[in-house]
Amino acid sequence: MAIGRKTGGGSRQGVPNKTTVDVREAIALIAQRNVVNFENWLNQVASEDPGKAAELYLKAIEYHIPKLARTEQTGPNGGAIHHTFEWLGST
């Protein structure tokens, strides 16, 4: 066997682990079955502490609508980006 070379089969790249897939499906099924319960639990919390209920809701919704990653674009050496626009249409 040469150093630095993979030998043997192994999983193809990008193929999810079967156990991971099974667990995700099970969690999704539990979540589906508890939608009504979750709403009731959230209403119970909201009756005592609306801020906490909002916090719980936002944490839960992140799994349905993921947060967008923040990105910052900079010019050379971290400086500003300068844009120049030119009209190409006929007058």
Side-chain angles (χ1 to χ4, degrees):
M1 171 166 63
I3 296 176
R5 293 221 172 150
K6 254 185 156 178
T7 60
S11 297
R12 292 185 315 268
Q13 188 173 1
V15 176
N17 180 310
K18 182 175 176 7
T19 303
T20 303
V21 170
D22 291 346
V23 169
R24 287 184 182 191
E25 286 176 358
I27 291 171
L29 184 60
I30 292 168
Q32 278 182 329
R33 290 179 179 170
N34 282 290
V35 168
V36 173
N37 290 337
F38 181 75
E39 188 174 352
N40 291 333
W41 298 328
L42 202 56
N43 288 332
Q44 288 175 357
V45 172
S47 68
E48 293 179 24
D49 187 353
K52 182 68 175 178
E55 181 182 328
L56 292 170
Y57 177 74
L58 290 174
K59 283 183 181 180
I61 202 75
E62 282 182 30
Y63 291 95
H64 183 64
I65 305 171
K67 287 184 178 179
L68 298 176
R70 291 188 175 107
T71 57
E72 182 178 337
Q73 296 180 346
T74 60
N77 299 320
I81 298 176
H82 297 284
H83 299 280
T84 303
F85 297 94
E86 183 178 325
W87 182 260
L88 299 176
S90 60
T91 53

